Amino acid sequence: NFLQRFEAAVIRNPVLQGLNLLDTPGVLAGAKQTVNRGYDFTGVVKWFADRVDMIVMLFDAHKLDISDEFSQTILACKGNDTKIRIVLNKADKVTNQQLMRVYGALMWSLGKVLGTPEVARVYIGSFWDQPYTNDDNRKLFEMEEEDLFKDIQSVPRGSIVRKLNDLVKRCRIAKTHAYIMSHIKNEMPVFGKEAKMKQIIANLPKIFQQLEQTTGIPAGDFPNVEEFQEKLKTFDITKLAKLNQGMIDALDKMIATELPRLMAQVPQDQELANDDYMMSVRKREGGALFESDMTPFGDGATMDILNSPLSVKEFQYEFEKLGPSSDGKINGTQAKQPMQESKLPNATLRRIWTLSDLDKDGKLDLREFAICKQLIKMKLDGHDLPIEVPDIWVSPMVE
């Protein structure tokens, strides 16, 4: 039933070259929780939670509610606490005072559900491309958005490190398992195997302690005693082969030398912070997480407006008031304030600047400024931004 509802989409976007995004259906609340989804929703969430590299949980600031199903969903992610990120979304819908109360309430609710006073990192903002309803906290939202994007940007590297760590963990568990089973096999007599197995199962905790001392294997690498005892009750010990010490030695060599060599090839955190390294990533990847640094913000529609000539003269007076330099251009600092008066999020303004700055020199001439203002108007009117600026806006001959 779940697979019948599971849908996938392939989009041509450079960001997705390093990431796959998985969106869950909305969590049910109130009377809707009685509706049967037709499949084990929390079970599916747990399956994916164990396999993904990051889990982002979204809460709306203006209607904060953790329903029973949401609580079960959060609990299904237990054991993956380091992957969880909390997003307090649409925070522009509340005032400063209300935001403080909402944040406190969210911390209390999450601590109660998770059973711990410490919760995951919480990002506060308004993560969509509509104007802020209340932009008093604009600077906070900008910094939080930047932190979240950096966190997401680190996922590909974190995925590699996690897989290598999982491989090390599996190798150590396999080695421990081999020593346990070899010890049990060596303890088995020619006759009276059944009685001896019962004795071994009963003394399994002492056997684990003995192996820990003789092999030097850490206690944390041993399996759960009770679960192992249950499995031994129905296991045929005669099927086991003898311990191959050569394979154990090869495993030790891989853990000691081969895996560290692989780990050394993964870019380190300090490399990710290096400007030259990041520039090479931007050139290679592009996309929303790697916007040009030439914008003052730090970082397709097919409507009639895109097919109409641009009236540059309409914006000339406003442009002249900003005081263009001798080359007839304004810089990012001059353009930033009039652009922010739209109350659009910085991510959207960053995109508008990138589209408007046709020659990518970090400045705007009159035509580029007119394009910028027209794109802002489009966005405020509820239209999507185009993939690229239409030719009819760029050519002065059309006017």
Side-chain angles (χ1 to χ4, degrees):
N1 286 335
F2 165 70
L3 291 178
Q4 290 176 345
R5 294 167 172 80
F6 187 72
E7 297 180 359
V10 179
I11 302 173
R12 295 183 59 186
N13 189 303
V15 174
L16 298 178
Q17 292 177 8
L19 297 171
N20 286 322
L21 303 179
L22 181 70
D23 184 28
T24 65
V27 177
L28 301 179
K32 292 181 180 178
Q33 295 180 83
T34 59
V35 178
N36 186 1
R37 290 183 181 271
Y39 63 93
D40 182 5
F41 178 70
T42 54
V44 172
V45 169
K46 177 170 177 53
W47 189 92
F48 278 112
D50 292 339
R51 289 160 175 80
V52 299
D53 296 293
M54 181 181 290
I55 303 167
V56 181
M57 296 184 180
L58 291 138
F59 296 84
D60 286 351
H62 65 294
K63 50 179 182 180
L64 185 61
D65 176 38
I66 301 182
S67 63
D68 291 342
E69 186 178 60
F70 204 171
S71 298
Q72 295 169 7
T73 303
I74 295 173
L75 291 174
C77 296
K78 269 206 163 185
N80 298 286
D81 298 0
T82 57
K83 301 178 183 179
I84 296 177
R85 306 292 186 273
I86 306 296
V87 172
L88 186 57
N89 196 24
K90 301 179 184 176
D92 63 314
K93 299 289 185 182
V94 297
T95 64
N96 288 356
Q97 189 176 20
Q98 290 171 333
L99 182 59
M100 292 174 61
R101 293 173 180 169
V102 169
Y103 182 82
L106 177 62
M107 294 297 97
W108 183 84
S109 299
L110 287 174
K112 191 175 180 181
V113 173
L114 295 173
T116 173
E118 299 179 2
V119 296
R121 169 72 159 91
V122 178
Y123 297 95
I124 304 173
S126 182
F127 297 93
W128 63 343
D129 57 1
Q130 300 303 310
Y132 293 132
T133 302
N134 181 357
D135 67 345
D136 291 343
N137 292 312
R138 184 186 190 96
K139 190 63 179 177
L140 171 65
F141 297 162
E142 292 170 4
M143 293 188 294
E144 291 289 279
E145 180 185 85
E146 183 177 348
D147 286 350
L148 178 58
F149 283 173
K150 285 181 179 178
D151 204 354
I152 296 174
Q153 179 183 310
S154 69
V155 166
R157 177 188 180 275
S159 175
I160 298 172
V161 174
R162 183 180 64 83
K163 288 174 182 176
L164 289 174
N165 287 335
D166 286 347
L167 180 57
V168 172
K169 181 180 178 181
R170 288 165 57 194
C171 290
R172 292 169 59 173
I173 290 174
K175 176 183 174 181
T176 304
H177 189 81
Y179 274 117
I180 293 172
M181 301 310 291
S182 176
H183 177 87
I184 294 175
K185 183 176 178 63
N186 292 336
E187 290 289 313
M188 296 301 291
V190 178
F191 302 104
K193 287 184 172 61
E194 190 173 328
K196 183 64 176 177
M197 178 59 81
K198 290 180 180 179
Q199 181 184 347
I200 289 175
I201 292 174
N203 294 330
L204 199 58
K206 293 183 179 179
I207 293 174
F208 281 9
Q209 292 177 358
Q210 180 184 345
L211 286 173
E212 183 182 345
Q213 295 172 357
T214 57
T215 62
I217 296 175
D221 289 353
F222 284 86
N224 180 277
V225 175
E226 290 79 10
E227 292 180 2
F228 209 86
Q229 286 172 326
E230 287 298 317
K231 292 178 180 179
L232 282 177
K233 289 178 182 179
T234 57
F235 186 77
D236 185 1
I237 199 70
T238 60
K239 294 181 179 180
L240 286 177
K242 291 184 178 180
L243 180 69
N244 187 329
Q245 191 59 46
M247 294 182 70
I248 296 294
D249 293 341
L251 192 62
D252 287 337
K253 180 182 177 182
M254 184 182 73
I255 295 174
T257 60
E258 300 297 332
L259 288 177
R261 189 178 299 132
L262 283 174
M263 189 69 76
Q265 297 179 28
V266 180
Q268 301 301 309
D269 291 335
Q270 57 266 31
E271 290 181 89
L272 293 174
N274 182 274
D275 288 343
D276 293 338
Y277 178 84
M278 286 311 303
M279 282 305 296
S280 68
V281 172
R282 287 190 182 95
K283 290 176 182 177
R284 184 172 67 253
E285 300 293 347
L289 301 182
F290 307 97
E291 291 285 357
S292 169
D293 285 333
M294 296 297 288
T295 78
F297 301 97
D299 298 60
T302 55
M303 301 165 294
D304 293 341
I305 191 171
L306 291 175
N307 297 320
S308 303
L310 182 66
S311 178
V312 175
K313 291 182 179 180
E314 179 184 338
F315 304 98
Q316 186 168 0
Y317 176 74
E318 185 179 357
F319 180 75
E320 294 295 339
K321 281 180 60 178
L322 296 174
S325 59
S326 57
D327 62 355
K329 295 187 176 186
I330 58 173
N331 58 35
T333 303
Q334 293 170 295
K336 186 172 184 177
Q337 184 176 350
M339 291 178 69
Q340 284 189 333
E341 288 175 357
S342 66
K343 293 189 177 183
L344 289 170
N346 267 20
T348 304
L349 294 178
R350 191 182 307 129
R351 170 83 174 140
I352 289 173
W353 176 279
T354 303
L355 287 168
S356 305
D357 186 10
L358 301 175
D359 54 6
K360 307 305 176 190
D361 63 349
K363 298 179 182 180
L364 299 181
D365 60 20
L366 175 57
R367 176 168 296 278
E368 291 172 329
F369 179 75
I371 292 172
C372 173
K373 296 294 289 185
Q374 190 71 4
L375 291 173
I376 289 175
K377 184 178 184 301
M378 282 180 57
K379 199 62 205 170
L380 292 175
D381 289 342
H383 301 299
D384 290 333
L385 293 174
I387 302 298
E388 57 186 17
V389 176
D391 292 339
I392 197 170
W393 288 10
V394 176
S395 174
M397 295 301 295
V398 175
E399 279 176 56

